[in-house]
Amino acid sequence: MERLLELITKKSIDEDLTTILTNMYSISSIDFIEVGKWFLFLNIPAIVFLFIVKNPVVFLKLFLRCRIFQLGFFKRQIAVGEQLFSYIERGNSSSKKTSLLFIHGYSNSKEIFLDVIAWLPRDLHVISVDLPGHGESMWDEKDQVSITNYVDKIHQFVQAVGLNKKKFHIVGESMGGHIAGVYSATHPSSIEKTTLMCPHGIKFDQMEKMKAEYERTGHCILLPDSLQTVREMFECVLHKKFPFPDFVLNGILQMRLQNDDFNKKLLLRLVSSEDEDLLERSLHNIRSPCTLLWGKQDKILDVSCADKIKSNLPNLKKTVIFDDAGHVLSIDCPRKVASNLMEC
């Protein structure tokens, strides 16, 4: 820490600072390179606090706040009736370019797309929203948990923030892909483009086995309850190996356990007969040009689902299967995802 304090008194930040910070918590140096040395220099008090704070949840929240700020986002909230949505926004809808709305997957949050957005042009209007029951958007206990309800909630959000004033590009990953696809099918006049990333909502044999196993044992890889099961979850959803330190994993575990009851309720709904193939039944109603992205090493939703989508989605313009990616493309290959978003 003495060496760190000595460095931050300099007028510029050199490679030594990145090395010290990455060594302290065994975090990949690329994470800090992406943040940018100018950001580190201008926000030294926050960075110092980030590495001396004892509470891992505070650590993670502060890190994400810094990352949001560095990427030029504003953090916002908007009330739609009794529902409060939390979202981040960069740019404005008055731009002549098409706005992008990002919808995250099961038990994730709006910040999952930050590394993808980092590779997008700064002049794009971009919104990433926390689905109700995730991140900082609370779930109203009076509401039914279902994909259809989420589609309705997103439509209310779109109207509230004015995205519906012109057509926009909707992007969804995993469960978010399910929601994005059904939204596109339900509100075709609002959508300019649709991008589905490893979307849930397609029936396949492995899903039936996973469903039966969860009903029998109550265990699911997506519901970790210890440091070891958090590691196992990341090994399952990601193809690349990230050396997350225990301190960070413990923070992730604590944040997930705070929402454990809702996550279990939602998971049961996602494997129910009503919701497990809703996207598959809606594909023929999607009118916008579509791009499908999938990880060949996906251990959650098998890449063979892409063939069903190809057969049933009339306006599918592009399919990309990434050889070196698993289920969460926004972490495994964010730059490639961003590139495909701009090409489609």
Side-chain angles (χ1 to χ4, degrees):
M1 184 56 67
E2 290 180 1
R3 175 61 174 146
L4 175 59
L5 293 175
E6 177 185 339
L7 281 168
I8 65 177
T9 60
K10 293 183 178 181
K11 292 183 179 180
S12 62
I13 301 299
D14 57 25
E15 296 293 338
D16 291 340
L17 179 55
T18 299
T19 301
I20 288 177
L21 295 178
T22 55
N23 287 341
M24 287 172 66
Y25 283 94
S26 302
I27 299 174
S28 170
S29 61
I30 194 169
D31 292 334
F32 293 97
I33 293 172
E34 287 182 357
V35 170
K37 293 179 183 179
W38 67 268
F39 169 65
L40 289 173
F41 180 70
L42 293 177
N43 296 275
I44 287 302
I47 296 300
V48 172
F49 178 68
L50 187 69
F51 282 89
I52 63 174
V53 67
K54 302 300 182 181
N55 187 317
V57 173
V58 174
F59 172 97
L60 288 173
K61 289 183 176 180
L62 180 58
F63 179 82
L64 290 174
R65 285 288 186 95
C66 291
R67 186 76 169 126
I68 288 168
F69 175 79
Q70 185 265 333
L71 289 174
F73 276 96
F74 288 96
K75 191 173 179 181
R76 307 189 191 280
Q77 288 186 329
I78 191 168
V80 182
E82 296 183 4
Q83 177 67 60
L84 186 66
F85 287 95
S86 177
Y87 65 104
I88 53 176
E89 182 176 25
R90 187 173 76 185
N92 60 78
S93 58
S94 63
S95 169
K96 293 182 179 179
K97 295 186 178 180
T98 303
S99 300
L100 284 87
L101 174 63
F102 286 89
I103 304 177
H104 63 78
Y106 169 80
S107 72
N108 265 316
S109 66
K110 58 187 178 295
E111 290 85 4
I112 194 71
F113 292 110
L114 289 177
D115 285 346
V116 173
I117 297 168
W119 294 103
L120 295 177
R122 286 266 181 166
D123 60 345
L124 284 180
H125 178 226
V126 178
I127 290 179
S128 186
V129 60
D130 278 334
L131 291 169
H134 297 74
E136 297 171 293
S137 294
M138 296 298 102
W139 181 263
D140 188 338
E141 292 297 328
K142 299 191 296 293
D143 290 334
Q144 181 187 23
V145 178
S146 69
I147 293 296
T148 302
N149 190 283
Y150 270 134
V151 171
D152 291 342
K153 294 278 189 184
I154 288 298
H155 187 53
Q156 293 168 12
F157 172 78
V158 164
Q159 292 178 310
V161 299
L163 266 178
N164 61 326
K165 292 179 180 178
K166 64 178 184 178
K167 290 186 176 184
F168 61 93
H169 182 176
I170 191 167
V171 182
E173 182 171 59
S174 192
M175 183 186 77
H178 194 165
I179 296 166
V182 176
Y183 186 97
S184 188
T186 309
H187 305 282
S189 62
S190 299
I191 304 301
E192 180 76 22
K193 301 173 184 176
T194 303
T195 298
L196 308 178
M197 301 163 58
C198 305
H200 175 263
I202 309 297
K203 262 192 173 182
F204 65 106
D205 292 340
Q206 184 184 344
M207 177 62 76
E208 293 302 312
K209 295 177 182 178
M210 292 169 61
K211 176 181 175 181
E213 179 69 13
Y214 178 60
E215 291 174 343
R216 185 178 66 84
T217 66
H219 173 72
C220 176
I221 194 70
L222 300 177
L223 292 170
D225 56 9
S226 66
L227 282 179
Q228 179 58 33
T229 52
V230 171
R231 290 192 193 92
E232 292 171 358
M233 178 185 71
F234 280 120
E235 289 173 2
C236 183
V237 300
L238 301 176
H239 176 61
K240 294 179 180 177
K241 305 302 179 185
F242 292 87
F244 297 115
D246 286 351
F247 182 75
V248 171
L249 292 178
N250 190 43
I252 293 171
L253 176 62
Q254 288 184 39
M255 293 171 72
R256 293 182 71 91
L257 288 177
Q258 291 172 3
N259 213 33
D260 198 49
D261 289 342
F262 177 81
N263 287 341
K264 289 177 179 177
K265 185 189 299 185
L266 177 56
L267 182 62
L268 285 173
R269 180 69 192 203
L270 292 178
V271 298
S272 70
S273 57
E274 294 92 342
D275 278 6
E276 65 178 346
D277 65 343
L278 182 57
L279 175 61
E280 188 174 343
R281 291 183 273 124
S282 303
L283 290 172
H284 66 283
N285 288 322
I286 298 177
R287 298 288 177 259
S288 64
C290 293
T291 294
L292 178 63
L293 308 178
W294 220 298
K296 190 174 183 179
Q297 315 302 328
D298 194 333
K299 298 176 184 176
I300 301 296
L301 301 175
D302 195 82
V303 68
S304 62
C305 293
D307 293 329
K308 279 194 176 182
I309 295 177
K310 290 178 188 178
S311 302
N312 294 284
L313 185 54
N315 216 10
L316 181 62
K317 300 301 183 183
K318 184 179 182 182
T319 301
V320 181
I321 308 298
F322 300 111
D323 290 332
D324 58 347
H327 182 60
V328 186
L329 302 180
S330 53
I331 295 180
D332 263 339
C333 52
R335 188 173 186 176
K336 292 179 181 178
V337 169
S339 177
N340 280 279
L341 291 178
M342 296 310 301
E343 290 174 6
C344 63

